[in-house]
Amino acid sequence: MVVADDFLFQGLNKAGNTSNQLGSFVTPVNVNQLEGLNTLGVSMARLDFAPYGINPPHTHPRATEAFLLVEGTLYVGFVTSNPADPAQKNKLFTKYLYPGDVFVFPQGLIHFQFNVGKTNAVAFASFGSQNPGTITVANAVFGSDPKINPDVLAKAFQVEKNIIDYLQAQFWSNYN
Amino acid sequence: MVVADDFLFQGLNKAGNTSNQLGSFVTPVNVNQLEGLNTLGVSMARLDFAPYGINPPHTHPRATEAFLLVEGTLYVGFVTSNPADPAQKNKLFTKYLYPGDVFVFPQGLIHFQFNVGKTNAVAFASFGSQNPGTITVANAVFGSDPKINPDVLAKAFQVEKNIIDYLQAQFWSNYN
Amino acid sequence: MVVADDFLFQGLNKAGNTSNQLGSFVTPVNVNQLEGLNTLGVSMARLDFAPYGINPPHTHPRATEAFLLVEGTLYVGFVTSNPADPAQKNKLFTKYLYPGDVFVFPQGLIHFQFNVGKTNAVAFASFGSQNPGTITVANAVFGSDPKINPDVLAKAFQVEKNIIDYLQAQFWSNYN
Amino acid sequence: MVVADDFLFQGLNKAGNTSNQLGSFVTPVNVNQLEGLNTLGVSMARLDFAPYGINPPHTHPRATEAFLLVEGTLYVGFVTSNPADPAQKNKLFTKYLYPGDVFVFPQGLIHFQFNVGKTNAVAFASFGSQNPGTITVANAVFGSDPKINPDVLAKAFQVEKNIIDYLQAQFWSNYN
Amino acid sequence: MVVADDFLFQGLNKAGNTSNQLGSFVTPVNVNQLEGLNTLGVSMARLDFAPYGINPPHTHPRATEAFLLVEGTLYVGFVTSNPADPAQKNKLFTKYLYPGDVFVFPQGLIHFQFNVGKTNAVAFASFGSQNPGTITVANAVFGSDPKINPDVLAKAFQVEKNIIDYLQAQFWSNYN
Amino acid sequence: MVVADDFLFQGLNKAGNTSNQLGSFVTPVNVNQLEGLNTLGVSMARLDFAPYGINPPHTHPRATEAFLLVEGTLYVGFVTSNPADPAQKNKLFTKYLYPGDVFVFPQGLIHFQFNVGKTNAVAFASFGSQNPGTITVANAVFGSDPKINPDVLAKAFQVEKNIIDYLQAQFWSNYN
């Protein structure tokens, strides 16, 4: 028996708790929180940023994100996929965003948002999937359970193993 | 040559002009306004409501809408499709929305939002299509160009033809 | 255990009973009636029209309709979605159809069929979905259960409330 | 500039010419004949059968077919795909169809219709694609241009090569 | 509880047993053998050919095949769908393949591979579906259970019925 | 004018040149190299690994990969997306692969392959997209053009900025 409440989620006016190492918090409103989105191909999220807070480099494997800044100032960017010509580079596209700006992060590309202002920032994100998924690069690469073999990462990142040890020793939070 | 500005739309912090008969205004941010959304399956809109303003019954033929109220109070609803059993009725689902509420309007269903408060209301909508389309029932049925034959509508709505004449004589605006 | 009867529906040669206020009847053959259509993306319907019978303005939220007239004469039409430029109008496309004519009603657009002849009319419809859904505008807007608040509709249709009361007082049948 | 005629196809009330070796004729109404179907995921066809006429074993690579018999009597069938267990067989599902019967031929499966009555038969088909495609098995296997190497076919059909020569020597018409 | 083994299939280095009438064997790795492919839209197969072995004319109703030859020499081909103009023919595209060659068999088209060398041949196939399905033309047309009525096939293939009897009398194996 | 060569790619039997910092090379066979794959939803690649060579952590934004090892021994793994419960961790799934093993890397997830043997390794990959795309994490995060602001990355990875400077100073090759 379907009722109107199945299509309602409450509380997106509440700021997320940004008292963490990243200084940011994401409040998702996807099919896990709002059952009425099932099979319907769209979802949302609220993003809160303390001053200098960051939503670190991550991807959404199943959706593009349209990102609306409503408060504060953010420096945002995404990097294109590997170029066909190896002499080329992965291109970085960045913008400073101000309230009222909408920016597009295409499906699957690595992107980030960084609060460069001295005040909080608030944004709302729209996703073209009921469950876009999020893969935070640092968490997946350096903070998985169990850890990825450090020899693998040293080779992959072309650095000394002690750098990898150092990176893996950080506390990798899964706030977003 | 793609540049970062191709992925940016500016100005969604500006209130739409609600000085019209409906007392509402929709500012779309779909692929027509933001080229970077092309092929990416998502779009947005800002909705402004004056006191007692209405976004009249309409459908989006190509997308579900996740609707976030950020300011004011709205009475919203949608009606389900024709029931398999003709003895049943088309069901109306309604809610009063307050800031922070997200409500789902499933793809293709007729829905509306009505400002029941004495203050302005502001909402942001997310759509699971780069170009969801909007069909405002009153405009399409009574305000098309040319007009639908009034005999057709009198029969369809099971009323006297003069009621249809009256309805067609209104000025049907296409604000949203 | 799948058997051949799972792929068979019988009786589409029988005329639907058009002895109702609209003078029309739709006999659907979608996944609800023919289980073998499940996951296969197509369905059908038979439409019967008494003289002056109407299939009133409606939409199919999940499929385009290819409509084949096999008997009689119909006046049919659909209205395009809201124009990007508000100075434009929703355009009405109409045709008189004769036996052997196939007409396309694109997904989600409001359309109607009206029997302008003095004889019965019969048509077969093809839909690109196993379950296209039907939203009859008059039923959904004026005949839902419960009723939409008449203040909402008066504002939406820009008419006096007593017109809405009159419209809502009609008996809204769900034949199609 | 789109006009109403873009959505109209005329003439499906005309019987196809069945004076050919197969005794059948298919009149397609897909995007090649009716431009207004473009991107809309549905199409139709009319099928005419002389007494003992056949629409020979074929597949539609891009759509399921819902098949409505409106006149005459047909013996129809389809064969399921290769079984996971080689000790099983490809199953044949058949039905005798009478006017008003709708039968489903799932996407990609080999199927046929055979007029077992002494009168003409007429059917209308609905497809869940704007361009379903048709691959007539006999034409593709024995009547291609150039011919498939007869050694290949002799091995494939596990018969003497002279049987293949005989089959390839027939005139393979492409009526449907 | 998902574990790494859910994403693993072992044994595709083992040659299939080609001691059968066709002289070929297909080892599938689709969702039936490898559960971790569920919902993920891709699958594989290994194909082994004895000298003069054949993978007889067949179609995959739900996927295109990218076919990589790693050992031996094959003569391969596919036939296009029925032409719009009946004066045209179904076109046959063929190639001799050598190790390292990748050939594309488009979705739903009839295709075959024939070992023209004196040594074994080995290939790996990629499919754009978790379960592409296979319809072997000879098995489906002449070896179904129950048999297709020979009158139907005689008419369809435009040959004497005794040819059909002969073809149906063969043992139709379902190795692939 | 379509010809058979449009469906053919040659040379996947040739080892890629692994004389680079990663000790691996990917030879793609997607729609950019093989035009006949257009619209057909599948593609392939060959992967070569020198001893201790690595295909570093990367994602494919538009396809799942079925990975077949044909020679050598690899240690492979992928990491799941962010958990719903932040107290959980991103889970790492790993396997040692031997010739004949097929492993699945689900769409969008970060994964890697590492040659743990003393001999070369060779694999073939199947993708459920004509153009799966590849995003190598290290290249996108530390080797983009222009560089991502090191303050952003220091915060994101929760390390001192000199670590980021060191990482960004490496030569980031785009071999794969």
Side-chain angles (χ1 to χ4, degrees):
Chain A
M1 186 63 184
V2 174
V3 295
D5 281 333
D6 295 336
F7 299 93
L8 178 67
F9 171 94
Q10 294 180 301
L12 215 54
N13 57 329
K14 302 275 171 38
N17 182 354
T18 60
S19 299
N20 55 58
Q21 288 131 307
L22 296 169
S24 74
F25 196 89
V26 177
T27 306
V29 186
N30 60 47
V31 73
N32 296 309
Q33 292 81 33
L34 178 46
E35 194 180 12
L37 289 172
N38 196 24
T39 77
L40 295 179
V42 71
S43 58
M44 301 188 75
R46 174 187 172 125
L47 300 97
D48 286 281
F49 301 83
Y52 304 108
I54 192 168
N55 188 7
H58 63 285
T59 70
H60 303 293
R62 290 182 294 275
T64 289
E65 176 177 4
F67 179 94
L68 165 64
L69 185 62
V70 293
E71 183 184 321
T73 312
L74 293 177
Y75 172 72
V76 307
F78 68 83
V79 183
T80 62
S81 59
N82 290 4
D85 175 355
Q88 301 289 320
K89 288 279 185 169
N90 297 71
K91 292 196 65 173
L92 172 68
F93 290 90
T94 59
K95 272 287 166 185
Y96 286 91
L97 299 188
Y98 305 96
D101 287 1
V102 176
F103 199 73
V104 181
F105 300 111
Q107 181 175 339
L109 297 192
I110 294 177
H111 60 287
F112 63 87
Q113 298 110 16
F114 186 50
N115 186 354
V116 292
K118 294 176 181 169
T119 61
N120 290 337
V122 181
F124 295 111
S126 304
F127 299 97
S129 163
Q130 69 176 39
N131 189 11
T134 299
I135 296 166
T136 301
V137 170
N139 295 26
V141 174
F142 297 110
S144 67
D145 179 21
K147 299 279 195 238
I148 296 177
N149 183 323
D151 290 330
V152 167
L153 294 179
K155 180 92 178 188
F157 285 78
Q158 300 179 29
V159 293
E160 297 300 311
K161 195 174 156 189
N162 66 321
I163 298 284
I164 300 299
D165 292 339
Y166 177 72
L167 282 157
Q168 288 190 331
Q170 306 306 310
F171 171 73
W172 294 104
S173 52
N174 274 313
Y175 293 100
N176 302 323
Chain B
M1 184 63 183
V2 176
V3 295
D5 281 334
D6 295 336
F7 298 93
L8 178 67
F9 172 94
Q10 294 179 301
L12 214 55
N13 57 328
K14 302 275 172 38
N17 182 355
T18 60
S19 301
N20 55 59
Q21 289 132 306
L22 295 170
S24 74
F25 196 86
V26 177
T27 306
V29 186
N30 59 48
V31 73
N32 296 310
Q33 291 82 34
L34 177 47
E35 195 180 12
L37 290 172
N38 196 24
T39 77
L40 295 179
V42 72
S43 59
M44 300 187 76
R46 175 189 172 123
L47 300 96
D48 286 281
F49 302 83
Y52 306 107
I54 192 168
N55 188 7
H58 63 284
T59 69
H60 303 293
R62 289 181 295 274
T64 289
E65 177 177 4
F67 180 94
L68 165 64
L69 185 62
V70 292
E71 183 184 323
T73 312
L74 292 177
Y75 172 72
V76 306
F78 68 82
V79 183
T80 62
S81 59
N82 290 5
D85 175 355
Q88 301 290 319
K89 288 279 186 171
N90 298 69
K91 291 195 65 172
L92 172 68
F93 290 89
T94 58
K95 272 285 165 185
Y96 286 91
L97 298 187
Y98 305 96
D101 287 1
V102 176
F103 200 73
V104 180
F105 300 112
Q107 181 174 338
L109 297 192
I110 294 177
H111 60 286
F112 63 87
Q113 299 110 16
F114 186 50
N115 185 354
V116 292
K118 293 176 180 170
T119 59
N120 290 336
V122 182
F124 295 111
S126 304
F127 299 98
S129 163
Q130 69 175 40
N131 189 12
T134 299
I135 296 166
T136 301
V137 170
N139 294 28
V141 175
F142 297 110
S144 68
D145 178 22
K147 298 275 195 244
I148 295 177
N149 184 323
D151 290 331
V152 166
L153 294 180
K155 181 92 178 186
F157 285 79
Q158 301 180 27
V159 293
E160 296 301 311
K161 194 173 156 189
N162 66 320
I163 299 283
I164 300 299
D165 292 341
Y166 177 72
L167 282 157
Q168 288 190 331
Q170 306 306 309
F171 171 74
W172 293 103
S173 52
N174 275 314
Y175 294 100
N176 302 320
Chain C
M1 186 63 185
V2 175
V3 296
D5 281 333
D6 295 336
F7 299 93
L8 178 66
F9 171 95
Q10 293 180 301
L12 215 54
N13 57 329
K14 302 277 172 35
N17 182 354
T18 60
S19 300
N20 56 58
Q21 288 132 307
L22 296 169
S24 74
F25 196 88
V26 177
T27 305
V29 187
N30 59 47
V31 74
N32 295 308
Q33 291 82 32
L34 177 46
E35 195 179 11
L37 290 172
N38 196 25
T39 76
L40 295 179
V42 71
S43 59
M44 300 188 75
R46 175 188 172 123
L47 300 96
D48 286 281
F49 302 83
Y52 305 109
I54 191 169
N55 188 7
H58 64 283
T59 69
H60 303 293
R62 289 182 295 274
T64 288
E65 177 178 3
F67 180 95
L68 165 64
L69 185 62
V70 293
E71 184 184 322
T73 313
L74 292 177
Y75 173 72
V76 305
F78 68 83
V79 183
T80 61
S81 59
N82 290 4
D85 175 355
Q88 302 290 318
K89 288 278 186 170
N90 298 69
K91 292 195 66 172
L92 172 68
F93 290 89
T94 59
K95 273 285 168 185
Y96 285 91
L97 298 188
Y98 305 96
D101 287 1
V102 176
F103 199 72
V104 181
F105 300 112
Q107 182 175 338
L109 297 191
I110 293 177
H111 59 287
F112 63 87
Q113 298 110 17
F114 186 51
N115 185 354
V116 291
K118 294 176 181 169
T119 60
N120 290 338
V122 181
F124 294 110
S126 304
F127 299 98
S129 163
Q130 69 176 39
N131 189 12
T134 299
I135 296 166
T136 302
V137 169
N139 294 28
V141 175
F142 297 111
S144 67
D145 178 20
K147 298 274 195 244
I148 295 177
N149 184 321
D151 289 331
V152 166
L153 294 179
K155 180 90 178 189
F157 284 79
Q158 300 180 25
V159 294
E160 296 301 312
K161 196 174 156 188
N162 66 323
I163 299 283
I164 299 299
D165 293 339
Y166 177 72
L167 283 156
Q168 288 189 332
Q170 307 306 309
F171 171 74
W172 294 103
S173 52
N174 275 314
Y175 293 101
N176 302 324
Chain D
M1 185 63 184
V2 175
V3 296
D5 282 334
D6 295 336
F7 298 93
L8 179 66
F9 172 94
Q10 294 180 301
L12 214 54
N13 57 328
K14 303 276 172 36
N17 182 355
T18 59
S19 300
N20 56 58
Q21 288 131 307
L22 296 169
S24 74
F25 195 88
V26 177
T27 307
V29 187
N30 60 47
V31 73
N32 295 310
Q33 291 82 33
L34 177 46
E35 195 179 11
L37 289 172
N38 196 24
T39 77
L40 295 179
V42 72
S43 59
M44 300 188 75
R46 175 188 172 124
L47 300 97
D48 286 281
F49 301 83
Y52 305 108
I54 192 169
N55 188 6
H58 64 284
T59 69
H60 303 293
R62 288 181 296 274
T64 289
E65 177 176 4
F67 180 93
L68 166 64
L69 185 63
V70 293
E71 184 184 321
T73 311
L74 292 178
Y75 172 72
V76 306
F78 67 84
V79 183
T80 61
S81 59
N82 290 6
D85 174 355
Q88 301 289 320
K89 288 279 187 170
N90 298 69
K91 291 195 65 171
L92 172 68
F93 290 89
T94 59
K95 273 285 167 185
Y96 286 90
L97 298 188
Y98 305 96
D101 287 1
V102 177
F103 200 73
V104 181
F105 300 112
Q107 181 174 339
L109 297 192
I110 293 178
H111 59 286
F112 63 87
Q113 299 109 16
F114 185 50
N115 186 355
V116 291
K118 295 177 180 169
T119 60
N120 290 338
V122 181
F124 294 111
S126 304
F127 299 98
S129 163
Q130 70 175 39
N131 190 13
T134 299
I135 296 167
T136 301
V137 169
N139 295 28
V141 174
F142 297 110
S144 67
D145 178 21
K147 298 277 195 242
I148 295 176
N149 184 322
D151 289 330
V152 166
L153 294 179
K155 180 92 178 187
F157 285 79
Q158 301 178 27
V159 293
E160 297 300 313
K161 194 174 156 188
N162 66 321
I163 299 284
I164 300 299
D165 293 340
Y166 177 72
L167 283 158
Q168 288 189 333
Q170 306 307 310
F171 171 73
W172 293 104
S173 52
N174 275 314
Y175 293 101
N176 302 322
Chain E
M1 186 64 184
V2 174
V3 295
D5 281 333
D6 294 336
F7 299 93
L8 177 67
F9 172 95
Q10 294 179 301
L12 215 54
N13 57 328
K14 302 276 172 37
N17 182 353
T18 59
S19 299
N20 55 58
Q21 288 132 309
L22 296 170
S24 74
F25 195 87
V26 177
T27 306
V29 187
N30 60 47
V31 73
N32 296 309
Q33 291 82 33
L34 178 46
E35 196 179 11
L37 289 172
N38 196 23
T39 78
L40 295 179
V42 72
S43 59
M44 301 188 75
R46 174 187 172 125
L47 300 97
D48 286 281
F49 301 83
Y52 305 108
I54 192 168
N55 187 7
H58 64 284
T59 69
H60 303 294
R62 289 181 295 274
T64 289
E65 177 177 4
F67 180 95
L68 165 64
L69 185 62
V70 293
E71 183 184 322
T73 311
L74 293 176
Y75 172 71
V76 306
F78 68 84
V79 183
T80 62
S81 59
N82 290 4
D85 175 354
Q88 300 290 318
K89 288 279 186 170
N90 298 69
K91 292 195 64 171
L92 172 67
F93 290 90
T94 59
K95 272 285 166 186
Y96 285 91
L97 298 188
Y98 304 96
D101 287 1
V102 177
F103 200 72
V104 181
F105 300 111
Q107 182 175 337
L109 298 191
I110 293 176
H111 60 286
F112 63 87
Q113 298 110 17
F114 186 50
N115 186 353
V116 291
K118 293 176 180 169
T119 60
N120 290 337
V122 181
F124 294 111
S126 305
F127 299 98
S129 163
Q130 70 176 39
N131 189 11
T134 298
I135 296 166
T136 302
V137 169
N139 294 27
V141 175
F142 297 110
S144 67
D145 177 22
K147 298 277 196 243
I148 296 177
N149 184 323
D151 289 330
V152 167
L153 294 179
K155 181 91 178 189
F157 285 79
Q158 301 179 27
V159 293
E160 296 302 311
K161 195 173 157 188
N162 65 322
I163 299 283
I164 299 298
D165 293 340
Y166 177 72
L167 282 157
Q168 288 189 331
Q170 306 307 309
F171 172 73
W172 295 104
S173 52
N174 275 314
Y175 294 100
N176 302 321
Chain F
M1 186 61 185
V2 175
V3 296
D5 281 334
D6 294 335
F7 299 93
L8 178 66
F9 172 94
Q10 295 180 301
L12 215 55
N13 57 330
K14 303 276 172 37
N17 182 355
T18 59
S19 300
N20 56 59
Q21 288 133 306
L22 296 170
S24 74
F25 195 87
V26 178
T27 306
V29 186
N30 60 48
V31 73
N32 295 309
Q33 290 83 33
L34 177 44
E35 195 179 12
L37 290 172
N38 196 24
T39 77
L40 296 179
V42 72
S43 58
M44 300 187 77
R46 174 188 172 124
L47 299 97
D48 286 282
F49 301 83
Y52 306 107
I54 191 168
N55 187 7
H58 63 284
T59 70
H60 303 292
R62 290 182 294 274
T64 288
E65 177 177 3
F67 180 94
L68 166 65
L69 185 62
V70 293
E71 183 184 322
T73 312
L74 292 177
Y75 172 71
V76 306
F78 68 82
V79 183
T80 62
S81 60
N82 289 5
D85 175 354
Q88 301 290 319
K89 288 279 186 169
N90 297 70
K91 292 194 65 172
L92 172 68
F93 289 89
T94 58
K95 273 284 166 188
Y96 285 90
L97 299 187
Y98 304 96
D101 287 0
V102 176
F103 200 73
V104 181
F105 300 111
Q107 181 174 339
L109 297 192
I110 294 177
H111 60 287
F112 63 87
Q113 298 110 16
F114 185 51
N115 186 353
V116 291
K118 293 178 181 167
T119 60
N120 290 337
V122 181
F124 295 111
S126 304
F127 299 98
S129 163
Q130 70 175 39
N131 189 12
T134 299
I135 296 166
T136 301
V137 169
N139 295 27
V141 174
F142 297 110
S144 67
D145 179 20
K147 298 275 194 244
I148 296 177
N149 184 321
D151 290 330
V152 166
L153 294 179
K155 180 91 178 188
F157 285 78
Q158 300 179 28
V159 294
E160 296 300 311
K161 195 173 157 188
N162 66 322
I163 299 284
I164 300 299
D165 292 340
Y166 177 72
L167 282 156
Q168 289 189 332
Q170 306 307 309
F171 171 73
W172 294 104
S173 52
N174 275 312
Y175 293 102
N176 302 323

